[in-house]
Every structure is written in C-alpha cells, then in structure tokens.
Amino acid sequence: MATTDRYPRQAATLALAHALSAAERGLAVIPLSRTKLPALRSPHRDASAPAGPAGPPCHGECGRFGHGVYDASTDPARIRELFSAAPWATGYGIACGLPPHHLIGVDLDTKSDTDSGAALRALALRHRFTIPPTIIVLTPSGGRHLWLTGPPEVVVPNSAGRLAPGIDIRGAGGYLVGPGSRTAHGAYATAPGTAHLTPAPCPRSLLRLLLPRPRAPRPGGA
Ligand SMILES: [Zn+2]
C-alpha cells in the first residue's frame, strides 16, 4: 500500500461510514469532494454543444454516475458503488426534499456582517413560530444547519438570502453537507445534544415563508 494514499483513503472510508449511517436513517446521500461539491463529475460535461436543440437534462436516465444530487441513494450497495467511483471523496451530501423525510435545510451562515441567528429569531417573533428541537449541524466556518421536514405534497425551493440576509434554504434539488464530512476548511459535526433527534416538522408559518408567492391573478382571469 502506498503510504501517500493513506490519509485520503482514510478520509474516504470515514465519509462512506458516515454516509451509510445517514442512509440507515432514511437519508439519501452522494459523495462530496473537499470543496463540498458532488465528487463525481457529470458524464455529459463535454456534450454541452451550443448548436442544436437542447434535450431535457439527464438526471441519471443514462445509467451512469455524475448527476449530482440525482445520484443520491439510501441503498447501501449503490452508496458503496458511488464511493468506490469517487475514492477522493471526503464527505457526503444529503439530498433535501426526498421521501420519507422531505428534508429542508435552514442554513444560517456567518460570512456576512449580519447575524443570521438573530434574523431567524426576528422572523420567528414576527410570524409567530418557534424552531422545534431538531438536528443541528455545525459547519467549520461557525455556521449552523437546522434540519426540518416538510409535508410530502409541498415542494420547497432552494433560496439564498431570500428569507433574510445570511439565511439560505436547501430544498428540492439541494443538499446538505452531512455531519462527519471533512472539507478543505474543517469538519461538519452535529451540535451537542442534537445527534439523537429526528428532524422536526417545519412550523407551518415558516413553511409559508419558504414557498414561492402565488402569482397575482391577471385582470380578467385566465
Ligand atoms: Zn446522464
């Protein structure tokens, strides 16, 4: 065994172990690289010819890996295949919006000058909701991810800073970096006392804020 491979391989093994454990809880996962991006590149990246009519984007119908969050699975055999195709993976992403949990990630960042925690508390006061006890993941940069669940019939879109400055929402088609992942900036870990919790249902009035506003009806109907 080449000793130069030791650390990356160890990181990949750990990432796989964490990913399998998340999958056991019903969370669909994909391998992530150190940059938090899907570890497997698209098999269609060279096929983006500008000429000709563009067909519908492939979400994995071709049978190959490399479709980002569409590769996500809870099947241990498939997860092992994904990780062996990406031995450079150091983390894993958890797909949001999928059954059974229909996960919604509330991403409170610390990058800007704004206090995203205070912004969420202000929203909670104004719209009369409380964040229930739920899984919280601490990010290497000091941010927090609150894990909530949505009703199956609702599609929560991704958004960045729409709810309030510093608050991003991970919904359908998005993913959360799973606890135990390592990136170039450090490790993601569950906040003390929250690892054993199940993701709590998103409060109704918060859910309403996350959904696109219905379009105003045009004058004259239709
Ligand atoms: Zn494809």
Side-chain angles (χ1 to χ4, degrees):
M1 183 197 286
T3 48
T4 46
D5 283 341
R6 236 171 95 201
Y7 280 115
R9 198 170 292 175
Q10 205 171 50
T13 308
L14 264 174
L16 171 61
H18 283 293
L20 287 171
S21 139
E24 251 173 50
R25 304 174 75 175
L27 300 164
V29 295
I30 51 167
L32 296 185
S33 72
R34 288 171 63 80
T35 57
K36 303 191 288 183
L37 292 172
L40 291 166
R41 293 182 68 186
S42 167
H44 309 294
R45 63 186 181 276
D46 300 324
S48 54
C58 178
H59 288 161
E61 293 83 358
C62 67
R64 286 175 288 178
F65 291 152
H67 301 85
V69 81
Y70 295 100
D71 287 349
S73 178
T74 55
D75 171 24
R78 185 173 161 83
I79 294 166
R80 286 177 191 281
E81 280 175 33
L82 283 163
F83 275 80
S84 41
W88 52 86
T90 60
Y92 65 103
I94 297 171
C96 296
L98 296 182
H101 297 293
H102 304 277
L103 200 60
I104 301 166
V106 180
D107 181 350
L108 304 172
D109 86 21
T110 51
K111 283 194 285 281
S112 45
D113 303 333
T114 52
D115 181 343
S116 54
L120 183 63
R121 285 193 296 277
L123 271 178
L125 274 173
R126 191 169 353 125
H127 296 277
R128 298 164 187 271
F129 64 84
T130 54
I131 298 289
T134 193
I135 296 178
I136 298 173
V137 174
L138 306 177
T139 79
S141 57
R144 281 177 296 153
H145 295 168
L146 315 182
W147 290 16
L148 299 170
T149 63
E153 73 278 6
V154 164
V155 176
V156 173
N158 292 292
S159 63
R162 190 176 71 86
L163 202 60
I167 304 181
D168 295 349
I169 299 299
R170 314 278 174 221
Y175 62 88
L176 286 161
V177 180
S181 295
R182 298 200 66 88
T183 67
H185 300 288
Y188 286 67
T190 42
T194 70
H196 68 285
L197 299 172
T198 43
C202 181
R204 276 278 160 191
S205 55
L206 173 57
L207 190 62
R208 269 197 296 276
L209 298 175
L210 303 184
L211 298 179
R213 285 178 191 85
R215 284 187 192 176
R218 287 182 190 179

